[in-house]
Every structure is written in structure tokens, then in C-alpha cells.
């Protein structure tokens, strides 16, 4: 059985990447071109040790691999038609990769140490050595950009026994608590230009605010049965795609915030992955079903019967599990 896990999309949703294995100890990185859609193929030189590695596909067709080693973390850049290049080896307790909104950077890496502290590194283009930008006390989890230039980053920070959402000004180093009256809030993702900031509290309740740190609305349809979970929003911030699992399958809901209504999109039986990208042609996500191998699916909200698989494996007789 072919196992696929850790699907991620490039910032514009033009590429996807995942970890794949046909044997428990033989993993590789798959690259998925989506505009136009092509069958996935392995990226040469990217050999993760296991499913704990992470990928970050880039809009230029490259893929960053975070490879976990003993007391160190490697960041390797691979492309389907070029040799892989090691960009950095960083000593750290943990590391995560975030896309960067600026064209002058490949990505942002966040390393954590046992002190505890977290350091933000900017990965420049080419062979540039990663540049440490800021170190903040506490352990940083996640990250959402609050401006298109990449100056302010919202993170969920564990510090002094509390998990709070803070904004880091990368130029001045100033930290600002975004919801000090509700420190349990976590920022999941945002469309800052459209005034949409999707949050969850420590009880799993999902809501949204129009400004970072502003009043939060808790729509009843986003907090019903089957653990609905927001995946992505369109560029206008008007529509939010939500996954709900129940009855042995996934359901896809579209929440329209200005009318406070929810529409269920028809999907074939199967399961959605945990990542999605909303592009001008539709919403893209990993999907697997009882009669379908794992692939990238796309739906266009408002268009009846628009579900289609953009890409999938071509090897006959191979089944795959999406995770």
C-alpha cells in the first residue's frame, strides 16, 4: 500500500507536496504540479527519514524539506529537475517552516530551544545562509502573517504555563497580545486584506474576528456536531471552507460570513485531508475514497457537480491512504 501524509499547498495553490512511502522505512517527497495538473513524481535528493518530516512547496516549483536529525534539523531545497541543496543545519529542539509573503524570501523557519525560547529565521533566495531575525521567550506554535510585506507575524506562544496568541513585530521585536481578555484563543489562519481572522479556543470552538484582537463571533453552524474544522478562505474573506467528519466520511461546508449561512457541497464518499488552498478556479484539497486513490481534488462552490480530481497516482493496482 502506498501511504501519503503531510499534504501541503504552495501559497497560491499552484503546487502541492507530501510525504509518501511504499514501505514503512522508505519515504520520499512527492511533488504535485496543479496548473496544469500533472501526475505527481518524486523529488530527487529529498529523502525524509519518516513521517515526522515536513514539506513546504513553493510557488516557483521548489519544495523545502525539513529533515529531523538527532539534536539538529536540516532544511533542504529540492526541485524535480535539479539536484537538491542543503540550505541550513540548525541545532534546535524543534523546527517548523512557514511560507513567506515577500518575494525576497523563500520561507520563514522557527526553531525552539529548551530554555524555552524560539528563534525566527528568514530563508533567503539562492544559497543565502538563513538569517536570524528575532528570538522570543517561550515556544512558538503556528504562524499567520498580518501584512503582505512580512513585518508582523501572529503566533500561538506557550510561555509561563499559558498558551496565548501574540503578534511579533519582526523589525522592532515588540510582542503584542492579540486577545488578552481571552488568552485561550488561537489564530488558525487569516485573510488580513479582507478583514478575516479565523480562531479557535481551547475547547475547540471556532469563530472569526474582523481585526486581529477584535471582537469574536461564534457562528452556531461552525460549532455543530461532527467536529467542523476550517480549512481555508477565499481571497475576499467572504467564504470559509470547513471540513466536518461524520458517518465514516468527510463533508465539505462553505460558511458565508456576511449572510451567516452554511452550504454543504456534494462530495463522493471519502475523506478530506487537513490542508486546502482556495485558488481562482476553486477549492483544492487532498481526497481519498473507497473507490479512488489518493489525489488532489477541486470543487467550485456554486457550481453543481463540480467535484473533480486534478491529479492522482497512475500506477495500476496501487491503493493509497491519505493522512
Amino acid at each position: 500500500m502506498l501511504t501519503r501524509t503531510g499534504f501541503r499547498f504552495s501559497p497560491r495553490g499552484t503546487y502541492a507536496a507530501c510525504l509518501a512511502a511504499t514501505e514503512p522505512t522508505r519515504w520520499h517527497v512527492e511533488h504535485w504540479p496543479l496548473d496544469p495538473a500533472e501526475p505527481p513524481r518524486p523529488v530527487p535528493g529529498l529523502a525524509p527519514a519518516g513521517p515526522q518530516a515536513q514539506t513546504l512547496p513553493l510557488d516557483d516549483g521548489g519544495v523545502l524539506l525539513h529533515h529531523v536529525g538527532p539534536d539538529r534539523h536540516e532544511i533542504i531545497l529540492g526541485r524535480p529537475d535539479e539536484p537538491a541543496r542543503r540550505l541550513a543545519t540548525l541545532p534546535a529542539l524543534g523546527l517548523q517552516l512557514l511560507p513567506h509573503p515577500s518575494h525576497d524570501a523563500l520561507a520563514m523557519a522557527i526553531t525552539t530551544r529548551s530554555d524555552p525560547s524560539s528563534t525566527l529565521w528568514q530563508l533567503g533566495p539562492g544559497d543565502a545562509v538563513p538569517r536570524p531575525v528575532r528570538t522570543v521567550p517561550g515556544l512558538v506554535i503556528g504562524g499567520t502573517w498580518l501584512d503582505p510585506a512580512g513585518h508582523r507575524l501572529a503566533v500561538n506562544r506557550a510561555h509561563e504555563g499559558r498558551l496565548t496568541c501574540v503578534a511579533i513585530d519582526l523589525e522592532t521585536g515588540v510582542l503584542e497580545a492579540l486577545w488578552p481578555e481571552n488568552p485561550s484563543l488561537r489564530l488558525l489562519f487569516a485573510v488580513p486584506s479582507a478583514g478575516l481572522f479565523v480562531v479557535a479556543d481551547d475547547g475547540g470552538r471556532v469563530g472569526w474576528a474582523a481585526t486581529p484582537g477584535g471582537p469574536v463571533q461564534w457562528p452556531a453552524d461552525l460549532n455543530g456536531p461532527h467536529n467542523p474544522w476550517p480549512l481555508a478562505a477565499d481571497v475576499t474573506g467572504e467564504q470559509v471552507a470547513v471540513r466536518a467528519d461524520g458517518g465514516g466520511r468527510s463533508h465539505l461546508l462553505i460558511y458565508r460570513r456576511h449572510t451567516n449561512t452554511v452550504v454543504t457541497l456534494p462530495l463522493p464518499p471519502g475523506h478530506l485531508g487537513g490542508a486546502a488552498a482556495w485558488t481562482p478556479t476553486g477549492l483544492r484539497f487532498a481526497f481519498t475514497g473507497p473507490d479512488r486513490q489518493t489525489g488532489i481534488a477541486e470543487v467550485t462552490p456554486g457550481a453543481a457537480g463540480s467535484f473533480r480530481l486534478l491529479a492522482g497516482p497512475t500506477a495500476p493496482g496501487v491503493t493509497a491512504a491519505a493522512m
Side-chain angles (χ1 to χ4, degrees), residues 18 58 64 105 115 124 149 158 191 203 231 237 287:
C18 71
L58 307 174
L64 291 174
D115 355 5
V191 185
L231 296 173
F287 185 84

Side-chain angles (χ1 to χ4, degrees), residues 6 8-11 16-18 29 54-59 61-66 76-78 96-100 106-109 123:
R8 295 184 75 175
F9 291 88
S10 66
C18 71
V29 173
Q54 62 174 300
T55 65
L56 181 63
L58 307 174
D59 280 326
V63 181
L64 291 174
L65 171 67
H66 162 216
I76 305 169
L77 173 62
Q96 60 178 321
L97 292 172
L98 301 176
H100 199 289
L106 286 178
M108 180 71 72
L123 303 180

Side-chain angles (χ1 to χ4, degrees), residues 82-123:
E82 297 179 12
R85 293 186 288 118
R86 180 178 287 102
L87 300 183
T89 299
L90 302 174
L93 180 68
L95 184 145
Q96 60 178 321
L97 292 172
L98 301 176
H100 199 289
S102 171
H103 295 298
D104 297 329
L106 286 178
M108 180 71 72
I110 303 178
T111 58
T112 54
R113 299 178 61 87
S114 58
D115 355 5
S117 66
S118 300
T119 300
L120 287 73
W121 306 76
Q122 183 168 309
L123 303 180

Side-chain angles (χ1 to χ4, degrees), residues 88 117 149 175 184 265 308:
S117 66
L175 273 66
S184 71
L265 298 187
R308 64 188 182 117

Side-chain angles (χ1 to χ4, degrees), residues 20-312:
T22 53
E23 299 177 18
T25 59
R26 299 186 63 180
W27 290 84
H28 61 275
V29 173
E30 282 188 339
H31 182 250
W32 299 64
L34 300 175
D35 289 314
E38 300 175 13
R41 52 177 171 162
V43 182
L46 298 189
Q52 71 277 13
Q54 62 174 300
T55 65
L56 181 63
L58 307 174
D59 280 326
D60 66 0
V63 181
L64 291 174
L65 171 67
H66 162 216
H67 179 76
V68 181
D71 301 323
R72 61 186 174 85
H73 297 257
E74 295 180 340
I75 302 174
I76 305 169
L77 173 62
R79 299 183 186 279
D81 301 312
E82 297 179 12
R85 293 186 288 118
R86 180 178 287 102
L87 300 183
T89 299
L90 302 174
L93 180 68
L95 184 145
Q96 60 178 321
L97 292 172
L98 301 176
H100 199 289
S102 171
H103 295 298
D104 297 329
L106 286 178
M108 180 71 72
I110 303 178
T111 58
T112 54
R113 299 178 61 87
S114 58
D115 355 5
S117 66
S118 300
T119 300
L120 287 73
W121 306 76
Q122 183 168 309
L123 303 180
D127 294 314
V129 175
R131 176 174 64 89
V133 179
R134 292 288 168 189
T135 296
V136 299
L139 302 180
V140 166
I141 305 165
T144 300
W145 294 103
L146 299 179
D147 68 298
H151 294 153
R152 296 184 75 229
L153 180 68
V155 299
N156 304 303
R157 183 179 67 141
H159 183 52
E160 296 180 342
R162 301 174 67 188
L163 181 63
T164 58
C165 184
V166 300
I168 305 174
D169 188 313
L170 299 184
E171 295 186 321
T172 66
V174 172
L175 273 66
E176 174 192 3
L178 291 183
W179 285 278
E181 75 287 349
N182 193 346
S184 71
L185 286 190
R186 293 169 289 139
L187 183 60
L188 303 180
F189 59 82
V191 185
S193 60
L196 175 69
F197 299 83
V198 180
V199 301
D201 64 14
D202 55 5
R205 190 172 53 154
V206 176
W208 64 271
T211 58
V216 178
Q217 299 190 38
W218 305 98
D221 287 329
L222 290 185
N223 294 284
H226 308 310
N227 301 314
W229 193 251
L231 296 173
D234 70 355
V235 69
T236 69
E238 164 64 15
Q239 302 181 98
V240 179
V242 182
R243 185 189 72 189
D245 297 322
R249 60 177 292 180
S250 295
H251 304 270
L252 182 59
L253 316 177
I254 301 297
Y255 170 71
R256 294 171 178 156
R257 62 171 176 147
H258 287 110
T259 59
N260 197 31
T261 57
V262 168
V263 175
T264 300
L265 298 187
L267 295 180
H271 292 274
L272 281 74
W278 207 313
T279 74
T281 62
L283 179 73
R284 296 173 175 174
F285 48 88
F287 185 84
T288 187
D291 59 345
R292 302 168 191 266
Q293 299 173 349
T294 301
I296 303 296
E298 181 181 82
V299 296
T300 304
S306 69
F307 177 92
R308 64 188 182 117
L309 286 176
L310 289 182

